[in-house]
Amino acid sequence: MKLIRYCILLISFSSFAQQGGMWIPSLLEGLNESEMTSLGMKMSAKDIYDVNQSSLKDAVPHFNGGCTSEVISPNGLLLTNHHCGYGAIQSHSSLENDYLTDGFWAKNYTEELPNPEMTVTFIVKIEDVTAQVLKNTQKLSSEEEKQAVIKKNISHIVENSPKESWQNNRVRTFYEGNQYMLFVVETFKDVRLVGTPPSSIGKFGSDTDNWVWPRHTGDFALFRIYADKNNRPAEYSENNVPYTPKHFLPISLDGVEEDDFTLVFGYPGTTDEYLPAVAVEQRVNVINPARIGLREVALKEQDKFMRADKEIKIKYASKYARIANYYKKWIGENQGLKKSNAIAIKKQQEADFTKALAQKNLSQTYGHLLPAFEKAYQEFEPYNLAYTYFSEAILRNIELMRNAFQLVQLEQVYQAKGKQSFTDRKENLLERNASFHKDYSPHVDKEVFIKVMQVFAAEMPAEFLPENFKNVNIEKLADDIYSNSALTTSENTQKILKGSPKNVFKKLEKDPAFTLAKSLTQVFYQKVLPTYQEQELAITALQREYMRAILETSTKEDRIFPDANGTLRVTYGKVKGYSPSDAVHYQPVTYLEGVMEKYIPGDYEFDVPEKLIDLYKNKDYGAYAENGKLPVNFIGTNHTTGGNSGSPTIDAEGNLIGLNFDRVWEGTMSDIYYDPSICRNIMVDVRYILFIIDKYANAQHLIKEMKLVHPKKK
């Protein structure tokens, strides 16, 4: 196998090249640095990433494994999105102390709230290890054998690469397995909640405004990193002290204008920019509609109860937001892919790719790929659809079924590994049991069950349903399960799990929730999962070969970036408005006036705190206004995705100017196809954040921690 080294970042395949890109920060010197400079950047690549000196990377940790954050003071003060900290905020909330509704602001270190299991992870060093990972795989023809050797090589690298005792090594794959990078990281485990605005600010617009522009959301929250006396990671302890960072971001008070340079630094989760047209067609026409349909009925039921009952609203707020986020994203993704004609464009790219193969005498090597994709995805479709329905219905949207599925897995663990493994898994389930039921309502879940299972029974390919589930009366089934299952309460779940494995499973076999989950799971494991995994592995191998072919047929003028994979990336662009449709043009900045225009007293999504109204009426904006108006959000051309939530938006000189939190609905298809005319990321203007902290929360002690600058007034 020909090894493709990091220099492939500097070449690409012309018909794939587009504005955008998610670039590895250790490899910015050269083309990327020149492009950023041409856009107005005044920093160097080493200011962004440097192993030997402090740099921007040292201020941008991965937040709790799913979002991004940034250090904004010498005392470890951490900024991220309100929605990234939502679960922690909810966990500290109750009817007596409703921080979701009222907000929370610690007045000093002792009032800051610990969050068990929350982590932030810093990148210390990035190193290319492709040759070591792919060693001894070149002559292997079996995909299973290749993956086994790669896994062994990665384990050796992780265990033997240099690091400090408090650090960890990780290896991640890029370009579909054509490149591998080693990351040396530091993970801090004592992260405390410092401040959060009420949801009427931090989640203003809620689901109606999610993924859309114009936006008026103060989507931020403050945490603090704590370390031991040596400034190293440590488990939570009252003896820990605020972390002293290698670098923290100064904050610009000068604001943004159209065409200002913007750099977004963060941990984008997953993109699929190089999927073939047939895969995109399947997602648009089959998989996304299935996901959307199931989540739509589940969300409708949850929303009905949340609007009627404040206690249910608190219990389900975080869960609802999590499910609704991608539900709406998939709708926008489908609309964007159709509007931008992405499938036709990808087919044209593939025609150009075929010509390029012929020009480079590579048709014999790679000419089989596109026909192979067509055949593979045709065979994959029914299994992909069945996998989607099972995971959405059983594992995501019906909470009781998810719990029952975990008990089915418990039985499988016992049968495969014996009593000790059973005991260990059971103890883990019991630990999670109380916290799960704290935010669970059987009454709500029953109605979700009915609606979701009606869709599941009707739409799941019939060959993948148990015989006793065909033509079933879902409402009667729900009555039986939610009236008689022990799994609907914490106490009864604990009782049913007491005793020897034999006694536990004897009791479970009489539980209607368990028996339903078991029958559905058995069919899924027997008829769906093995073929799904086999075909997915074959498609993965094809995709890796396709990626290598794209790289080999690229020209020096082109730009190919690796798909997002949860690792630290740089994306750069400009503040820019856009025109989503005929006769419509959006300006790039919104103001507090827009909040008041949307204000609906008492509304679930558009209520506004009285104090914010008073500040608006009095124009009491402090140092944060611009020509008498208070900026709230702005948009740019940065190529972002899930995981970039909480990413810092940095100006040309390395100062914080905004906080990334969303994308525009018309451009959510950028995970698959980036169209620079309509793809925009949405950011909170940092001056709105400072205004809320200072004027709304009266938390001036936090402002004093920060370094506020005026770079445009030099």
Side-chain angles (χ1 to χ4, degrees):
M1 178 186 293
K2 180 181 177 182
L3 296 184
I4 301 175
R5 309 213 180 250
Y6 65 83
C7 61
I8 58 181
L9 286 169
L10 304 182
I11 62 173
S12 74
F13 184 54
S14 58
S15 60
F16 284 87
Q18 284 283 10
Q19 182 179 337
M22 298 175 176
W23 306 98
I24 301 172
S26 58
L27 303 174
L28 293 174
E29 293 182 356
L31 175 63
N32 293 126
E33 187 172 19
S34 297
E35 286 184 341
M36 288 188 283
T37 301
S38 71
L39 290 171
M41 186 181 77
K42 298 177 183 178
M43 299 178 287
S44 69
K46 283 190 173 295
D47 291 326
I48 299 170
Y49 175 92
D50 197 316
V51 174
N52 300 312
Q53 305 292 329
S54 67
S55 57
L56 292 182
K57 77 168 175 61
D58 299 313
V60 187
H62 206 179
F63 184 82
N64 213 29
C67 287
T68 304
S69 55
E70 51 274 358
V71 186
I72 57 171
S73 90
N75 303 323
L77 190 63
L78 199 67
L79 177 66
T80 190
N81 285 154
H82 182 271
H83 76 259
C84 292
Y86 202 78
I89 299 165
Q90 182 206 33
S91 72
H92 292 296
S93 295
S94 64
L95 288 174
E96 294 75 26
N97 295 297
D98 187 356
Y99 299 140
L100 289 174
T101 299
D102 303 326
F104 167 80
W105 303 95
K107 296 182 178 65
N108 50 55
Y109 292 156
T110 59
E111 291 187 3
E112 295 174 357
L113 302 175
N115 301 285
E117 300 182 3
M118 179 177 283
T119 62
V120 295
T121 300
F122 290 90
I123 302 297
V124 177
K125 183 175 70 172
I126 306 173
E127 180 183 339
D128 188 289
V129 291
T130 305
Q132 298 97 302
V133 171
L134 297 180
K135 184 179 179 181
N136 299 325
T137 64
Q138 288 81 356
K139 296 181 180 180
L140 298 176
S141 58
S142 164
E143 183 64 22
E144 290 83 356
E145 289 179 319
K146 286 181 183 178
Q147 292 306 314
V149 173
I150 287 171
K151 185 177 180 180
K152 182 178 178 181
N153 290 343
I154 288 174
S155 295
H156 179 79
I157 293 166
V158 168
E159 291 171 7
N160 295 283
S161 297
K163 67 176 182 64
E164 300 293 347
S165 60
W166 62 89
Q167 297 172 343
N168 297 101
N169 290 328
R170 299 174 178 174
V171 173
R172 296 290 183 265
T173 180
F174 296 81
Y175 295 106
E176 310 292 348
N178 288 288
Q179 183 182 27
Y180 291 84
M181 306 291 280
L182 169 69
F183 292 79
V184 182
V185 303
E186 291 179 344
T187 297
F188 289 80
K189 300 179 180 180
D190 187 352
V191 185
R192 306 182 193 179
L193 178 63
V194 174
T196 174
S199 294
S200 53
I201 291 174
K203 207 171 182 292
F204 181 78
S206 192
D207 302 301
T208 297
D209 273 5
N210 191 23
W211 300 105
V212 302
W213 185 258
R215 198 68 172 275
H216 302 87
T217 310
D219 193 349
F220 79 94
L222 294 169
F223 292 80
R224 192 183 305 278
I225 307 170
Y226 281 75
D228 67 15
K229 62 181 181 180
N230 297 313
N231 205 43
R232 294 172 183 169
E235 298 287 345
Y236 170 79
S237 169
E238 292 183 357
N239 296 322
N240 288 345
V241 295
Y243 170 64
T244 301
K246 297 174 185 176
H247 183 73
F248 67 91
L249 298 179
I251 300 175
S252 171
L253 288 174
D254 289 347
V256 299
E257 300 175 51
E258 188 146 20
D259 292 324
D260 276 357
F261 173 81
T262 54
L263 184 150
V264 172
F265 213 169
Y267 298 82
T270 304
T271 57
D272 295 297
E273 303 289 343
Y274 307 103
L275 284 178
V278 63
V280 179
E281 280 186 299
Q282 189 171 112
R283 183 176 297 194
V284 169
N285 297 327
V286 180
I287 302 304
N288 278 353
R291 293 164 165 170
I292 292 164
L294 275 178
R295 291 199 179 195
E296 184 171 89
V297 296
L299 289 167
K300 184 177 180 181
E301 292 305 310
Q302 289 183 3
D303 180 70
K304 179 176 67 178
F305 287 100
M306 289 170 67
R307 288 181 181 273
D309 187 325
K310 186 176 181 181
E311 185 176 1
I312 294 295
K313 178 183 174 183
I314 292 174
K315 285 183 175 184
Y316 275 78
S318 181
K319 293 183 283 191
Y320 182 92
R322 185 170 60 250
I323 296 297
N325 189 44
Y326 265 76
Y327 158 73
K328 193 168 183 179
K329 187 260 185 185
W330 289 324
I331 294 173
E333 178 178 274
N334 265 21
Q335 291 179 352
L337 288 169
K338 292 175 181 177
K339 177 181 173 60
S340 61
N341 210 20
I343 295 171
I345 290 171
K346 281 186 172 286
K347 287 180 178 179
Q348 182 58 54
Q349 290 173 345
E350 290 166 5
D352 295 340
F353 168 72
T354 301
K355 292 178 184 177
L357 291 178
Q359 292 169 357
K360 293 181 177 286
N361 296 317
L362 291 171
S363 297
Q364 189 170 354
T365 306
Y366 297 120
H368 67 286
L369 285 170
L370 294 176
F373 272 132
E374 289 285 344
K375 182 174 184 295
Y377 274 99
Q378 182 180 6
E379 294 173 351
F380 188 48
E381 183 171 307
Y383 297 93
N384 194 10
L385 181 62
Y387 184 94
T388 298
Y389 274 125
F390 184 86
S391 59
E392 285 293 323
I394 309 305
L395 306 183
R396 288 186 172 87
N397 287 290
I398 305 173
E399 297 175 275
L400 184 63
M401 285 293 97
R402 182 169 65 247
N403 270 13
F405 172 79
Q406 291 172 345
L407 296 178
V408 174
Q409 289 182 311
L410 178 67
E411 184 177 40
Q412 293 169 337
V413 164
Y414 173 63
Q415 292 169 347
K417 298 182 179 180
K419 186 174 181 180
Q420 186 57 53
S421 295
F422 164 86
T423 301
D424 293 342
R425 177 69 70 91
K426 185 181 80 169
E427 291 304 315
N428 289 334
L429 291 175
L430 286 171
E431 284 180 15
R432 295 198 296 266
N433 176 55
S435 61
F436 165 78
H437 281 95
K438 171 180 174 287
D439 294 323
Y440 176 68
S441 166
H443 184 48
V444 175
D445 199 42
K446 178 183 177 182
E447 296 306 310
V448 172
F449 176 97
I450 291 170
K451 296 299 190 295
V452 168
M453 278 301 186
Q454 285 173 341
V455 176
F456 178 85
E459 301 293 338
M460 183 76 155
E463 64 268 31
F464 302 133
L465 287 173
E467 286 300 321
N468 62 358
F469 198 75
K470 297 174 182 177
N471 302 316
V472 67
N473 185 315
I474 300 296
E475 292 188 5
K476 286 185 178 179
L477 180 64
D479 287 339
D480 177 38
I481 288 174
Y482 285 86
S483 297
N484 299 310
S485 174
L487 307 183
T488 58
T489 70
S490 178
E491 296 77 13
N492 287 337
T493 300
Q494 290 177 3
K495 289 178 183 177
I496 207 169
L497 288 176
K498 282 185 178 179
S500 67
K502 182 179 180 180
N503 288 333
V504 168
F505 294 122
K506 185 177 180 181
K507 287 182 282 185
L508 282 172
E509 288 296 343
K510 298 177 183 178
D511 189 279
F514 177 84
T515 56
L516 175 61
K518 185 174 179 177
S519 66
L520 292 171
T521 300
Q522 285 176 333
V523 173
F524 177 74
Y525 280 167
Q526 291 167 5
K527 295 186 177 182
V528 178
L529 192 60
T531 305
Y532 175 89
Q533 291 175 329
E534 179 185 340
Q535 293 179 343
E536 186 183 45
L537 189 64
I539 287 172
T540 298
L542 281 175
Q543 191 71 40
R544 180 171 62 251
E545 191 176 4
Y546 185 44
M547 189 77 247
R548 186 165 66 250
I550 291 171
L551 294 165
E552 288 188 26
T553 54
S554 300
T555 68
K556 291 182 179 180
E557 290 75 28
D558 300 324
R559 306 160 71 247
I560 288 290
F561 57 91
D563 270 321
N565 60 356
T567 60
L568 187 60
R569 302 293 182 91
V570 169
T571 173
Y572 46 87
K574 289 187 173 187
V575 177
K576 203 78 175 174
Y578 75 111
S579 298
S581 56
D582 183 46
V584 175
H585 180 77
Y586 287 133
Q587 297 297 321
V589 181
T590 61
Y591 298 90
L592 188 57
E593 281 80 358
V595 174
M596 300 308 161
E597 289 170 358
K598 292 179 177 179
Y599 169 43
I600 303 173
D603 185 76
Y604 179 68
E605 300 177 304
F606 294 102
D607 202 1
V608 175
E610 185 176 345
K611 185 170 182 180
L612 186 61
I613 297 172
D614 291 339
L615 290 167
Y616 168 73
K617 288 178 178 178
N618 296 325
K619 299 295 182 284
D620 188 4
Y621 300 150
Y624 313 114
E626 176 183 291
N627 299 319
K629 299 174 68 176
L630 182 67
V632 175
N633 295 156
F634 65 96
I635 52 174
T637 61
N638 303 85
H639 189 174
T640 62
T641 188
N644 277 122
S645 290
S647 288
T649 306
I650 297 167
D651 70 6
E653 298 184 23
N655 305 304
L656 184 69
I657 53 175
L659 180 64
N660 188 82
F661 72 98
D662 207 354
R663 285 174 286 168
V664 300
W665 207 22
E666 298 87 355
T668 52
M669 85 291 189
S670 62
D671 290 348
I672 298 170
Y673 172 68
Y674 182 91
D675 183 340
S677 68
I678 59 173
C679 289
R680 295 290 182 272
N681 63 309
I682 308 177
M683 298 153 277
V684 189
D685 193 302
V686 74
R687 292 169 295 175
Y688 189 57
I689 294 172
L690 294 174
F691 163 79
I692 295 298
I693 297 170
D694 185 353
K695 306 298 288 186
Y696 179 86
N698 292 322
Q700 290 84 11
H701 61 288
L702 297 176
I703 301 292
K704 290 177 182 178
E705 279 192 50
M706 307 171 196
K707 181 180 179 181
L708 307 183
V709 298
H710 287 281
K712 292 182 179 180
K713 296 181 181 179
K714 289 183 179 178

